[in-house]
Amino acid sequence: QRLTGGEPLLRPDLQVLVKTLAQKPQLREIALTTNGILLAKQADGLCAAGLGRVTVSLDTLRPNRFVKLARRHSHAAVLAGIQRAVDCGFKRVKINMLVMRGVNDDELVDLIDFGRDVRVAGSPPEGAEPAPPVPPAARATATVQAPLGIELNHLVSPYQNECADGY
């Protein structure tokens, strides 16, 4: 079960809802998608209530760019929320980045590095091999394709500012 839509962390009874859902045997796991602004304050309680996974939307690591994209001065709060989510012991903390050509595509590899650094700061699973370092992004296309074995063309949509059809 995924809790999403609007901003779930604004819901005053979210911890109670998560605890109620976690007690349902037919639900294997509960996940939440958030902008992360309020996550640092609520992560411990949500983890204790039975939330298993958290996905945080973060389109940039640059505070000034964050203000332009999100129209908020809450970049530090989002980063603190991600770190708190990792530290409190969620099964999985995922970062979603909407890659926009000419807007933030120059940060793709930096965000991958950030995700690896945050994971290292938390407690990696026992016996897990450390991820190989990803060099700083000079050109994301060349840097990401080889070490990660993916085609960047499939990650960057040519349809900027359009809604997804058939989602």
Side-chain angles (χ1 to χ4, degrees), residues 9 34-46 54 56 76-86 88 90:
L9 296 179
T34 176
N35 64 22
I37 295 171
L38 301 173
L39 187 55
K41 295 176 183 173
Q42 297 184 37
D44 291 302
L46 290 168
V54 175
V56 179
V78 174
L79 297 181
I82 291 169
Q83 189 61 61
R84 187 70 223 130
V86 169
C88 80
F90 286 111

Side-chain angles (χ1 to χ4, degrees), residues 3-37:
L3 303 171
T4 188
E7 175 49 52
L9 296 179
L10 290 174
R11 187 180 173 123
D13 62 343
L14 182 60
Q15 203 168 315
V16 173
L17 175 62
V18 168
K19 187 172 186 170
T20 302
L21 291 172
Q23 294 170 353
K24 305 244 180 238
Q26 63 270 34
L27 298 179
R28 290 183 312 171
E29 188 172 57
I30 303 164
L32 176 112
T33 300
T34 176
N35 64 22
I37 295 171

Side-chain angles (χ1 to χ4, degrees), residues 9-166:
L9 296 179
L10 290 174
R11 187 180 173 123
D13 62 343
L14 182 60
Q15 203 168 315
V16 173
L17 175 62
V18 168
K19 187 172 186 170
T20 302
L21 291 172
Q23 294 170 353
K24 305 244 180 238
Q26 63 270 34
L27 298 179
R28 290 183 312 171
E29 188 172 57
I30 303 164
L32 176 112
T33 300
T34 176
N35 64 22
I37 295 171
L38 301 173
L39 187 55
K41 295 176 183 173
Q42 297 184 37
D44 291 302
L46 290 168
C47 192
L51 187 68
R53 295 181 293 133
V54 175
T55 299
V56 179
S57 299
L58 179 64
D59 296 334
T60 181
L61 292 172
R62 299 177 185 167
N64 291 340
R65 189 176 280 176
F66 183 91
V67 172
K68 288 179 183 175
L69 293 172
R71 295 181 294 268
R72 297 173 183 254
H73 294 274
S74 49
H75 187 256
V78 174
L79 297 181
I82 291 169
Q83 189 61 61
R84 187 70 223 130
V86 169
D87 292 344
C88 80
F90 286 111
K91 294 175 187 169
R92 182 172 181 191
V93 178
K94 184 171 117 179
I95 299 171
N96 271 355
M97 175 188 191
L98 175 62
V99 180
M100 297 167 275
R101 186 173 291 137
V103 176
N104 66 349
D105 56 341
D106 58 328
E107 293 187 72
L108 182 56
V109 174
D110 293 337
L111 193 69
I112 293 168
D113 274 339
F114 171 75
R116 288 179 175 165
D117 289 345
V118 169
R119 193 175 308 125
V120 169
S123 358
E126 188 157 326
E129 293 185 30
V134 177
R139 282 189 39 84
T141 304
T143 310
V144 171
Q145 280 183 196
L148 300 180
I150 58 175
E151 292 285 329
L152 187 62
N153 296 342
H154 297 285
L155 297 176
V156 181
S157 171
Y159 307 105
Q160 287 186 356
N161 303 319
E162 291 185 21
C163 295
D165 289 335

